[in-house]
Amino acid sequence: MSVLKGAAVIGQSGGPSSVINASAYGAIKAALDSDVITKVYGMQNGIVGLLNDNLFDLGKEDPAELAKMKYTPSSALGSCRYKIADPDEDDTDYKKILEMFRKYDIRYFFYNGGNDSMDTCNKISKFMLKNGYEVRCMGIPKTIDNDLAGTDHCPGFASAAKYIATSVAEVYRDCHVYDKGMITIIECMGRHAGWLTGAAALASLTGNGPDLVYLPEVDFDMPSFLKKVKDIYAKNKNVLVAVSEGIHDKDGKFIVEYAVSDAAVDAFGHKQLGGLAAYLAQECKNATGAKVRGIELSLLQRCAAHCASQTDIEESFAAGQAAANNAIAGVTDKMVGFECTRENGKYTCSTKLFDLTVVANAEKKVPREWINEEGDNVNEKFIAYALPLIQGETQMGHVNGLPDFVNLKKVKA
Amino acid sequence: MSVLKGAAVIGQSGGPSSVINASAYGAIKAALDSDVITKVYGMQNGIVGLLNDNLFDLGKEDPAELAKMKYTPSSALGSCRYKIADPDEDDTDYKKILEMFRKYDIRYFFYNGGNDSMDTCNKISKFMLKNGYEVRCMGIPKTIDNDLAGTDHCPGFASAAKYIATSVAEVYRDCHVYDKGMITIIECMGRHAGWLTGAAALASLTGNGPDLVYLPEVDFDMPSFLKKVKDIYAKNKNVLVAVSEGIHDKDGKFIVEYAVSDAAVDAFGHKQLGGLAAYLAQECKNATGAKVRGIELSLLQRCAAHCASQTDIEESFAAGQAAANNAIAGVTDKMVGFECTRENGKYTCSTKLFDLTVVANAEKKVPREWINEEGDNVNEKFIAYALPLIQGETQMGHVNGLPDFVNLKKVKA
């Protein structure tokens, strides 16, 4: 092991999750506790803060306040959606980053985010290696979408899954109280991967699960969907459906596009989806005459820290810690993920290092064999996978009956 | 005190809440524990179940299972939206009810619901008195809308308020992570009274509160709203707004009605019937060019038992208990409400009996002096009123990391 003395910098990027700060705090705490890391800086709004020399000194935070990060949702350091260029095409940003690394003697770079963030981390790592600047770069994953390759699951997925399953069970209760009947559509996030929507099926374990669950992994067929809804409605009077925002027809066209023709496009070229639940609810009403309700879980599902999985919180914290400790031990250019076992209902989880090149920009979908043959629900394989992840209630603190979230001072570096 | 031996029947009506079953359970438990109450029946889907001789024997339920009612949202007995006729115009239903009372020797009638339910309870009580049938009728209030007259607050309001304040604080965190800025509109329930929307302002106590809060108690002016949003956006880059579904202009026209008339047309020429939040978000986008998001809390806010206020749960339970115990002691034709004090930050709450005639069909709004002069937020008077109600986290049980809701056998009477 080669000892590398110097400062560390950590940034967060991409969409929020309930536990992204638990991961960041794991890395920050391990770095602050380390003898070889001299300073720990936070980037204000991810890589944008680094590029603009907008760093703050995390060593100046009150330790008790900092510890609240573990239970605070949504990037406490600030996030960004900045797409870094390919260094072979434009290395301006990389030169600026190198300048910043030299200015602050940064030898440890931690980046906390999803697919794009792992890609950013990887590119910076490669550039610094090529330019002979020694810095250890570690990716700390975060994505409620659970679509990162390699790792068993992603920090953040389980808490969103727990919130979705809990909310679906509660909404089921709500929809089923009347004698008149109702069709309810619940829309979950997930453009290309159906992990979150599949989590809605966990509510079935409470006896309050959805009748139909549609993932983007299977082509969506409107006539078949409406026929099923009609049949269930005729039989049970109540129908509860969970759909992924990213369901599409056999030609790959998003169903929501049939409702909204000019969906906006974000900085990465992703289409901004929305309004699917209301659209499907209306189609069901047209087909059955039933009372309908469309519910979009929207941002709630990715920031509902009050319903986070304590398993997720502890694992996320451990992932951040492992990133820092492995970097200190000499590792670089890796992402910390999880390796898990689920033998005979016993769940174990340990951190494992993955090559950033493997992870970056790959996308892990729900295996077809975890979805039933009809393609209208997940099966017991999905449940066995997801159930251990949502165990444990958050130990979040409360003040005034409300969440006690962190407030960082962010003293300028 | 006159001892009245006989059976009790309990029903639930109207829209769900997180704690309606806590109230019902309070009454059921007190009735089951009583020496004078011979049997305790539940109505399947409220008064409709009574009219159709669809009762079940609550004495046949497992006591431990029954106790889970305290933490299960949405009428476990089943609900209805049946409006009983005026007995002077049509007494068919009343005669049927009298027949059922005689058949089961029912001497105690408990009805758990909102305004309409208190009215139903009152009418039945009056009819039975007129027809010389001795039965003690008690109303047990429930409404997240908090609009019942007399009582300090209604069981169910506080849990919805806690969920709204918590979710607003979490969404605030989510909206504020980016460097780009965003305008977010959160729509809360409340057609005529702004209690729930006002609760969004409780999030301010966490430092993560909404910038603007619009209640139906004040006329909504679109140009003034857009100007405020523009100014805040220019200054802070982020704007978070809570609106009541029932906001209306000075002519009394609901703002959501403009959404319908201004609705976009989809590829098939169908009008896109968005909700109020989506409509206001679009208006803000048009006015500022900002990224916007509309979030409708929808059914989630009235069934989120996982985020219920333990204060609300205990008070609701106490209200149900008081209904049964008072009836046993000879009281009839009353609703159990609350009388509270909030002197020097110390909160006390005790049950109090209100005349059903006073309560039925009246509607309590947020006092104008609890709303700021500008009419764009509640003030410290509202906060002082609502804050004690949301204290305490639910003690709901969990199985598999999910809520452990009650499952009643409902053995036919």
Side-chain angles (χ1 to χ4, degrees):
Chain A
M1 171 188 158
S2 67
V3 172
L4 180 63
K5 253 192 142 43
V9 69
I10 179 164
Q12 299 180 307
S13 182
S17 90
S18 287
V19 298
I20 185 167
N21 294 317
S23 295
Y25 177 61
I28 293 166
K29 194 174 184 317
L32 286 171
D33 290 349
S34 148
D35 294 332
V36 299
I37 294 179
T38 50
K39 283 271 189 184
V40 184
Y41 299 113
M43 306 176 207
Q44 181 61 47
N45 296 110
I47 204 74
V48 173
L50 184 61
L51 290 167
N52 296 334
D53 199 356
N54 198 354
L55 304 184
F56 44 88
D57 186 344
L58 285 161
K60 302 241 166 91
E61 301 293 339
D62 171 57
E65 187 66 28
L66 201 59
K68 292 182 193 169
M69 281 184 75
K70 208 170 158 183
Y71 298 100
T72 302
S74 308
S75 319
L77 312 180
S79 184
C80 66
R81 282 204 185 274
Y82 184 80
K83 183 95 174 160
I84 200 162
D86 187 318
D88 293 336
E89 285 167 19
D90 180 2
D91 64 358
T92 321
D93 284 348
Y94 299 88
K95 283 180 180 157
K96 178 71 191 172
I97 291 169
L98 180 53
E99 184 194 324
M100 293 296 297
F101 280 6
R102 287 206 171 106
K103 176 173 175 183
Y104 292 100
D105 187 29
I106 286 165
R107 298 292 171 180
Y108 296 90
F109 176 83
F110 302 115
Y111 213 47
N112 188 193
N115 280 309
D116 293 321
S117 306
M118 296 307 117
D119 183 48
T120 299
C121 193
N122 187 228
K123 282 175 176 158
I124 292 172
S125 174
K126 296 277 182 293
F127 181 86
M128 298 303 155
L129 189 68
K130 210 168 126 185
N131 286 269
Y133 183 86
E134 192 176 7
V135 58
R136 294 175 185 162
C137 297
M138 298 289 282
I140 308 169
K142 167 282 333 170
T143 170
I144 62 164
D145 291 333
N146 204 38
D147 58 356
L148 287 180
T151 182
D152 178 90
H153 60 279
C154 302
F157 163 63
S159 292
K162 187 184 180 88
Y163 174 79
I164 290 169
T166 301
S167 296
V168 165
E170 290 169 341
V171 167
Y172 176 100
R173 286 276 171 171
D174 191 298
C175 300
H176 283 72
V177 295
Y178 288 119
D179 48 347
K180 303 273 183 201
M182 181 152 141
I183 299 168
T184 308
I185 314 286
I186 300 184
E187 177 185 340
C188 306
M189 283 181 171
R191 277 188 182 84
H192 305 295
W195 297 103
L196 287 175
T197 310
L202 291 167
S204 303
L205 296 170
T206 73
N208 306 287
D211 298 291
L212 299 165
V213 179
Y214 289 101
L215 279 56
E217 280 79 359
V218 177
D219 295 340
F220 184 84
D221 180 65
M222 187 69 88
S224 149
F225 163 69
L226 291 176
K227 191 189 176 309
K228 283 175 191 172
V229 167
K230 253 173 129 161
D231 290 350
I232 298 167
Y233 184 71
K235 200 175 141 209
N236 303 340
K237 274 193 172 176
N238 272 289
V239 192
L240 183 59
V241 185
V243 294
S244 170
E245 60 174 335
I247 54 165
H248 52 77
D249 64 20
K250 64 179 168 38
D251 302 319
K253 183 169 175 178
F254 287 121
I255 302 304
V256 73
E257 290 185 75
Y258 288 101
V260 184
S261 48
D262 58 343
V265 168
D266 75 7
F268 295 109
H270 303 142
K271 276 205 167 165
Q272 292 288 295
L273 304 180
L276 176 66
Y279 174 66
L280 289 179
Q282 188 59 44
E283 291 292 312
C284 290
K285 194 189 180 89
N286 297 345
T288 62
K291 189 177 168 186
V292 297
R293 177 82 78 153
I295 301 175
E296 190 185 339
L297 293 180
S298 189
L299 302 184
L300 301 164
Q301 68 200 292
R302 71 180 191 189
C303 62
H306 74 273
C307 190
S309 151
Q310 189 64 25
T311 298
D312 193 20
I313 293 168
E314 296 300 348
E315 289 179 354
S316 301
F317 178 78
Q321 246 181 344
N325 289 333
N326 276 286
I328 292 164
V331 174
T332 186
D333 210 22
K334 301 277 183 190
M335 179 191 87
V336 179
F338 301 125
E339 189 169 47
C340 303
T341 63
R342 294 172 178 81
E343 298 301 314
N344 307 318
K346 200 182 155 322
Y347 171 74
T348 69
C349 178
S350 47
T351 55
K352 187 184 170 182
L353 301 176
F354 295 87
D355 281 347
L356 280 173
T357 37
V358 171
V359 176
N361 296 316
E363 209 170 41
K364 190 179 69 176
K365 300 197 174 190
V366 177
R368 184 59 185 85
E369 63 269 25
W370 292 12
I371 302 169
N372 70 10
E373 215 173 307
E374 271 285 292
D376 61 13
N377 210 331
V378 294
N379 63 25
E380 70 289 349
K381 286 176 190 153
F382 183 96
I383 302 293
Y385 165 81
L387 190 58
L389 312 181
I390 65 161
Q391 300 307 303
E393 315 317 310
T394 177
Q395 290 163 27
M396 170 200 273
H398 290 82
V399 173
N400 282 322
L402 293 168
D404 188 13
F405 293 150
V406 69
N407 281 304
L408 297 177
K409 284 184 292 187
K410 299 197 175 178
V411 178
K412 194 99 172 67
Chain B
M1 171 186 159
S2 67
V3 173
L4 181 63
K5 253 191 143 41
V9 69
I10 179 164
Q12 298 179 307
S13 182
S17 90
S18 287
V19 299
I20 184 167
N21 293 317
S23 294
Y25 178 61
I28 292 166
K29 193 173 184 315
L32 286 171
D33 289 349
S34 148
D35 294 333
V36 298
I37 295 180
T38 51
K39 284 269 189 185
V40 184
Y41 299 113
M43 306 177 208
Q44 181 61 48
N45 295 109
I47 204 76
V48 173
L50 184 62
L51 289 167
N52 296 333
D53 198 356
N54 197 355
L55 304 184
F56 44 89
D57 186 344
L58 286 161
K60 301 241 166 91
E61 301 291 340
D62 170 56
E65 188 65 29
L66 202 59
K68 293 181 191 169
M69 281 184 75
K70 207 169 159 184
Y71 297 100
T72 302
S74 309
S75 320
L77 311 181
S79 184
C80 66
R81 282 204 185 276
Y82 186 81
K83 182 94 178 160
I84 200 162
D86 187 316
D88 294 335
E89 284 167 18
D90 180 3
D91 64 358
T92 322
D93 284 347
Y94 299 88
K95 283 180 180 158
K96 177 71 190 169
I97 291 168
L98 180 54
E99 185 193 323
M100 293 296 298
F101 279 5
R102 287 206 171 107
K103 177 173 175 184
Y104 293 99
D105 187 28
I106 288 165
R107 297 292 170 180
Y108 296 90
F109 177 82
F110 302 115
Y111 214 46
N112 188 192
N115 280 312
D116 291 327
S117 307
M118 297 306 117
D119 183 48
T120 299
C121 194
N122 187 230
K123 282 173 176 160
I124 291 172
S125 174
K126 297 277 182 294
F127 181 88
M128 298 304 156
L129 189 69
K130 210 169 126 185
N131 286 269
Y133 183 86
E134 192 177 7
V135 57
R136 294 173 187 166
C137 297
M138 297 290 281
I140 308 168
K142 170 280 334 169
T143 171
I144 62 165
D145 291 333
N146 203 39
D147 58 356
L148 288 180
T151 182
D152 177 272
H153 59 279
C154 301
F157 163 64
S159 292
K162 186 184 181 88
Y163 174 79
I164 290 169
T166 301
S167 296
V168 166
E170 290 170 339
V171 167
Y172 177 100
R173 285 276 171 171
D174 192 297
C175 300
H176 283 71
V177 294
Y178 289 119
D179 46 347
K180 304 274 185 200
M182 182 153 141
I183 299 168
T184 308
I185 314 287
I186 300 183
E187 176 185 340
C188 306
M189 283 180 170
R191 224 149 166 72
H192 304 294
W195 297 102
L196 288 175
T197 310
L202 291 167
S204 304
L205 296 170
T206 73
N208 306 287
D211 298 292
L212 300 165
V213 179
Y214 289 102
L215 279 56
E217 280 80 357
V218 177
D219 296 339
F220 184 84
D221 180 65
M222 186 68 87
S224 148
F225 163 69
L226 291 176
K227 191 186 176 311
K228 283 175 192 173
V229 167
K230 252 173 131 162
D231 290 349
I232 298 167
Y233 184 70
K235 200 175 141 210
N236 303 340
K237 274 190 171 176
N238 273 289
V239 192
L240 183 58
V241 184
V243 294
S244 170
E245 60 175 335
I247 54 166
H248 53 78
D249 63 19
K250 62 179 171 37
D251 302 320
K253 182 170 173 178
F254 287 121
I255 302 304
V256 73
E257 291 183 68
Y258 291 100
V260 176
S261 55
D262 293 359
V265 170
D266 75 6
F268 301 117
H270 299 142
K271 270 199 173 175
Q272 275 298 107
L273 302 186
L276 176 65
Y279 174 66
L280 289 179
Q282 189 58 47
E283 290 292 311
C284 290
K285 192 189 181 93
N286 297 345
T288 63
K291 189 176 169 185
V292 297
R293 177 83 78 155
I295 301 175
E296 191 185 338
L297 293 181
S298 189
L299 303 184
L300 301 165
Q301 68 200 291
R302 71 180 192 190
C303 62
H306 75 273
C307 190
S309 151
Q310 189 64 27
T311 297
D312 193 19
I313 293 168
E314 296 300 348
E315 288 179 356
S316 301
F317 178 78
Q321 246 181 345
N325 290 333
N326 276 287
I328 292 164
V331 175
T332 186
D333 209 22
K334 300 278 182 189
M335 179 191 87
V336 180
F338 302 125
E339 188 168 48
C340 303
T341 63
R342 294 172 179 80
E343 297 302 315
N344 307 316
K346 202 183 158 312
Y347 172 73
T348 69
C349 177
S350 47
T351 56
K352 186 182 170 182
L353 300 176
F354 294 87
D355 281 345
L356 280 172
T357 36
V358 171
V359 175
N361 297 317
E363 209 170 42
K364 190 179 67 175
K365 301 199 175 189
V366 178
R368 184 58 185 86
E369 62 270 25
W370 292 12
I371 302 169
N372 69 10
E373 214 172 308
E374 271 286 289
D376 61 13
N377 210 331
V378 294
N379 63 25
E380 70 290 346
K381 286 178 189 151
F382 183 96
I383 301 293
Y385 166 80
L387 190 59
L389 311 181
I390 65 160
Q391 300 307 303
E393 315 317 310
T394 176
Q395 291 163 26
M396 170 199 272
H398 290 81
V399 174
N400 283 320
L402 294 168
D404 188 14
F405 293 149
V406 70
N407 280 303
L408 297 177
K409 287 185 289 187
K410 298 195 174 178
V411 178
K412 194 99 171 67

